[in-house]
Amino acid sequence: MAASGGVASGGPRLRVRRLGPAAAAADRRSCRGGGGWCPGEPATPSSRPREAPGPHWGMDEGKMDENEWGYHGEGNKSLVVAHAQRCVVLRFLKFPPNRKKTSEEIFQHLQNIVDFGKNVMKEFLGENYVHCGEVVQLPLEFVKQLCLKIQCERPESRCDKDLDTLSGYALCLPNLARLQTYRFTEHRPILCVEIKPKCGFIPFSSDVTHEMKHKVCRYCMHQHLKVATGKWKQISKYCPLDLYSGNKQRMYFALKSLLQEAQNNLKIFKNGELIYGCKDARSPVADWSELARHLKPFFFPSNGLASGPHCTRAVIRELVRVITRVLLSGSDKGRAGALRLGPGLRGPLVCEASPFSRSLRCQGKNTPERSGLPKGCLLYKTLQVQMLDLLDIEGLYPLYRRVERYLEEFPEERKTLQIDGPYDEAFYQRLLDLSTEDDGTVAFALTKVQQYRVAMTAKDCSIMIALSPCLQDASSDQRPIVPSSRSRFAFSVSVLDLDLKPYESIPHQYKLDGKIVNYYSKTVHAKDAAVMSTRFKDSEDCTLVLHKVGLPPGDTE
C-alpha cells in the first residue's frame, strides 16, 4: 500500500523546513483541545483553511520517538507508518539494496508526487477525494530506529527493498483510515474499507490485435498468470466490470468476491488497525466469522442477532450494502467531465470471464445491463480517467518508441517535454486532448504517452471508505450519512496510490500485456481442447464396450 493523502487545500505552497522547539510547542498548542485545526482534517465551512503547522505537524523534531509510530502497510515503492495518537502517517520511499539516490533526487521525487496529486488528480477526481500531503525532513536517527522497529512486521515478500534511511525525507499525510470530513480527531469507533478496484473497462481501441482482449478484461486474464506463477493460490471471482457497472446486483457480487478472495485488492481496518486482508499468498484463508465478530457492533449495535452462520451472512450482507451505497454516492466536483469521453469509447459492458456473467449464461439468463454510474460518484470519475488509455498499450507502444528516438537524438529536450515534471497546469491541460488521429509528430506521441501514464495511475489507485456510527444527536452533523438496516454511518471517501506511473515502465507494460494475453489464450484453449478430447475419448470407449458386449459368443469380424 502506497498511501497518498494530504491536508486541506487552499493554503500556500507546501514546503520543506525544519521545525524548531518553540514553533513545535506553538503548533502543539494550536492542535490541542477543540479550538485548533489539525492537519489531515479539512476545516469546516465556517473555518478558513490555513497552512499546515510545520512539516512535523505539531511534533518536535528533537523528540521524535519511533515508539509512537507503527507499521501501517507498504507497496512496491513505498512504506507507510502511522502515528499512535495523531491522524497522520509518514510515507517513505523504498529502493533495492544496490540502488542509491541522492537526497535531492528523493526530495524532488516526493515533491513531484505532491504536485501531480494537486495539479492533475485533484482536478480530475475532486478536491474532497484527493489529499496531497507535504514533504517533510526527519532526523536521520529517528528514521533508522523506526526502520529497525518495524522490520519484523513487514511481509517477507516485500523485504526485497529497503526503506530510505539516508535522505530523511518523507511525505506527511492524513491517515485515510480515519474520517476525513470532520474537524477534530474522532474518538468514536472507525471502520475503514480499502478497495483497489483496478481497470473498469475492456479495451475499445482498434489497435488491439488480440481478439481475446475485446472479450475478457485485463484483471480476469491476469489472475490466471498470477496463480500459475504462485503469486496467489486461487483465482478470484472478482471482476472490475461488475463493480463499475453501477448495477447493484453485479456490484454486490463483485464486493462479496473481494471479501472471499481479498488478495491485495481489499483491506479492512478497525480503529486504524488491519483486521482483514491478505498480506501475501501464504496468508490464511479468509475467515468471515472472525470478520463478522469485528463488524457486528457496527451494523447490529443491539444484540439482535445470535452468533453462527446466519449472523455472519447478515453482517457481511450489511457491509456490502453500505459500501455499495457509498460508492454510488457523491457530488464532489472535479473536471473529469472535461474529458468528454463519448458513447463510442466504452467497450463491451460485460467481461466474458466474469463468474457472475457465466453463471447467468448457464441458467439461460442475460447479464443485467450496466445501470450506469452517477456522474458525481468517485467510481465514475475514476473510470473516466482510466479511459484516457485511448489506444491500449498495443497502440501506445509505437508512439513511446517515437518519443524515445527523439530523446536519443535530443536528450536535452527531456526536461522541455516534461517527462519527469513539473506536473503543473500546462501538463494537465495537454491531457484533455482526446484526438486519436496520428499526425506523425512527437507532440502527438508525447500527449498519448502522458495520457497513458495518468490512465495507468487511475487503474491502480485505491479507494478508502471510512465509516463511523452516528450518535443519537447526529441530526445536526454536516457530514454525509449512509443508512444500514439497524444503524447509520457518517462516512468519508478518499483516494490513495496516486503516484504517476513511470515513463520508463511502458516497455515492461507492453511485454507484460503480451505475456498475460498469451498465457490466458493458451490455458483457455488447452482447457477447451482437453474437454473436447475427453468427451471424444469417453464416447469412443463407450462404443467399444457396447460393441464387445453385443457380439454373439464365438463370433468374429
Side-chain angles (χ1 to χ4, degrees):
M1 182 182 77
S4 178
V7 298
S9 61
R13 181 182 178 88
L14 300 173
R15 61 187 183 274
V16 175
R17 58 186 175 90
R18 288 189 177 275
L19 192 64
D27 281 335
R28 282 197 299 275
R29 289 192 296 270
S30 71
C31 271
R32 202 176 282 150
W37 172 78
C38 287
E41 297 165 350
T44 58
S46 61
S47 174
R48 184 178 181 181
R50 65 179 175 85
E51 185 182 11
H56 300 162
W57 287 351
M59 292 171 286
D60 187 341
E61 78 165 30
K63 298 178 181 178
M64 291 291 287
D65 185 354
E66 68 276 5
N67 294 311
E68 294 180 352
W69 299 84
Y71 179 84
H72 189 69
E74 63 185 296
N76 185 45
K77 296 182 179 179
S78 61
L79 182 148
V80 178
V81 295
H83 196 273
Q85 302 298 326
R86 299 180 181 275
C87 293
V88 293
V89 299
L90 293 173
R91 176 185 169 190
F92 296 89
L93 295 180
K94 290 166 39 178
F95 301 102
N98 59 345
R99 183 181 176 187
K100 304 298 180 184
K101 282 197 171 186
T102 66
S103 296
E104 290 75 14
E105 289 174 325
I106 290 175
F107 165 71
Q108 192 56 59
H109 185 140
L110 292 172
Q111 189 60 51
N112 280 343
I113 292 173
V114 173
D115 292 341
F116 178 71
K118 180 174 63 175
N119 297 322
V120 179
M121 299 311 290
K122 185 174 283 191
E123 293 294 332
F124 279 140
L125 301 179
E127 64 178 0
N128 287 346
Y129 295 128
V130 180
H131 309 272
C132 301
E134 178 181 15
V135 183
V136 299
Q137 191 172 27
L138 304 164
L140 293 182
E141 184 60 27
F142 162 76
V143 177
K144 292 175 183 177
Q145 293 302 319
L146 178 65
C147 181
L148 292 173
K149 175 180 178 291
I150 65 173
Q151 186 62 32
C152 62
E153 300 181 60
R154 299 178 61 192
E156 184 181 343
S157 60
R158 293 294 189 184
C159 292
D160 58 326
K161 293 183 180 178
D162 298 329
L163 182 75
D164 166 39
T165 59
L166 300 178
S167 72
Y169 289 118
L171 281 181
C172 193
L173 309 150
N175 187 341
L176 297 182
R178 311 289 297 189
L179 280 183
Q180 296 304 310
T181 56
Y182 202 49
R183 183 177 179 183
F184 308 115
T185 302
E186 292 284 346
H187 297 293
R188 65 188 76 174
I190 301 288
L191 187 69
C192 181
V193 181
E194 177 184 344
I195 300 172
K196 189 179 283 290
K198 304 302 284 187
C199 181
F201 70 96
I202 288 180
F204 46 77
S205 172
S206 59
D207 293 296
V208 171
T209 60
H210 299 277
E211 185 60 28
M212 189 67 69
K213 289 170 65 173
H214 285 310
K215 300 177 181 179
V216 180
C217 77
R218 165 71 172 256
Y219 180 88
C220 288
M221 283 194 284
H222 202 177
Q223 281 289 299
H224 289 261
L225 183 60
K226 286 183 175 180
V227 171
T229 55
K231 172 68 174 178
W232 303 114
K233 290 183 178 179
Q234 63 185 38
I235 292 173
S236 171
K237 294 180 181 178
Y238 170 70
C239 175
L241 266 68
D242 290 331
L243 185 66
Y244 282 97
S245 68
N247 179 282
K248 289 185 178 179
Q249 190 180 0
R250 292 176 67 184
M251 293 180 74
Y252 288 168
F253 183 87
L255 291 169
K256 283 187 175 180
S257 298
L258 278 179
L259 284 165
Q260 287 174 332
E261 190 68 27
Q263 297 185 2
N264 63 348
N265 298 104
L266 182 138
K267 294 177 182 176
I268 300 178
F269 300 87
K270 181 179 177 181
N271 298 328
E273 293 187 12
L274 181 69
I275 61 170
Y276 193 82
C278 194
K279 290 187 176 180
D280 54 42
R282 292 174 292 279
S283 294
V285 178
D287 186 350
W288 276 16
S289 60
E290 178 65 14
L291 175 62
R293 185 182 67 79
H294 282 289
L295 300 183
K296 184 180 175 183
F298 286 89
F299 295 98
F300 298 95
S302 59
N303 294 322
L305 281 179
S307 60
H310 176 72
C311 172
T312 298
R313 288 194 296 269
V315 172
I316 297 298
R317 182 167 59 247
E318 286 300 304
L319 173 65
V320 169
R321 285 177 177 172
V322 167
I323 294 174
T324 302
R325 286 171 179 165
V326 171
L327 288 175
L328 292 175
S329 70
S331 58
D332 189 45
K333 295 181 180 180
R335 301 204 302 200
L339 296 176
R340 297 177 184 174
L341 294 168
L345 301 180
R346 300 276 175 93
L349 303 181
V350 177
C351 169
E352 289 187 3
S354 165
F356 180 86
S357 303
R358 287 204 308 265
S359 64
L360 289 184
R361 286 198 300 270
C362 290
Q363 300 171 34
K365 301 178 182 178
N366 293 325
T367 304
E369 285 296 318
R370 185 186 312 200
S371 300
L373 293 165
K375 291 188 178 180
C377 79
L378 182 57
L379 280 181
Y380 175 85
K381 295 178 180 182
T382 304
L383 183 60
Q384 292 289 298
V385 182
Q386 290 179 358
M387 292 172 72
L388 279 172
D389 179 9
L390 299 168
L391 306 176
D392 187 71
I393 187 63
E394 292 189 62
L396 188 281
Y397 187 68
L399 299 181
Y400 163 81
R401 292 298 305 148
R402 182 187 301 172
V403 176
E404 276 291 275
R405 288 192 295 270
Y406 179 80
L407 289 176
E408 288 171 5
E409 188 174 357
F410 305 103
E412 70 280 1
E413 289 293 300
R414 186 179 178 100
K415 184 174 182 180
T416 304
L417 299 182
Q418 290 184 274
I419 299 292
D420 310 304
Y423 304 123
D424 52 16
E425 174 68 15
F427 180 92
Y428 166 77
Q429 288 295 334
R430 283 193 288 272
L431 299 173
L432 303 181
D433 180 3
L434 303 180
S435 62
T436 55
E437 293 295 326
D438 187 357
D439 58 5
T441 63
V442 172
F444 173 84
L446 180 66
T447 297
K448 299 305 121 180
V449 165
Q450 304 292 46
Q451 286 175 337
Y452 174 81
R453 294 174 66 193
V454 175
M456 291 299 292
T457 301
K459 291 178 185 181
D460 205 36
C461 72
S462 292
I463 297 174
M464 300 285 277
I465 300 171
L467 303 163
S468 180
C470 290
L471 302 177
Q472 294 298 322
D473 60 351
S475 57
S476 61
D477 204 327
Q478 298 298 312
R479 295 174 293 179
I481 304 295
V482 60
S484 68
S485 297
R486 305 282 183 89
S487 57
R488 297 187 306 152
F489 297 92
F491 71 89
S492 66
V493 184
S494 306
V495 193
L496 68 156
D497 293 347
L498 288 178
D499 299 8
L500 180 61
K501 294 300 179 184
Y503 169 82
E504 288 78 13
S505 70
I506 292 177
H508 167 73
Q509 289 297 329
Y510 180 69
K511 292 177 183 177
L512 179 60
D513 182 77
K515 190 174 181 180
I516 290 171
V517 178
N518 289 333
Y519 183 83
Y520 182 81
S521 299
K522 288 178 181 178
T523 53
V524 170
H525 177 76
K527 187 182 298 182
D528 291 343
V531 170
M532 293 300 294
S533 174
T534 301
R535 288 177 180 173
F536 178 78
K537 186 176 186 297
D538 289 345
S539 175
E540 184 179 40
D541 289 344
C542 181
T543 302
L544 288 173
V545 170
L546 289 174
H547 180 65
K548 289 178 69 177
V549 171
L551 286 173
D555 199 0
T556 59
E557 288 187 307

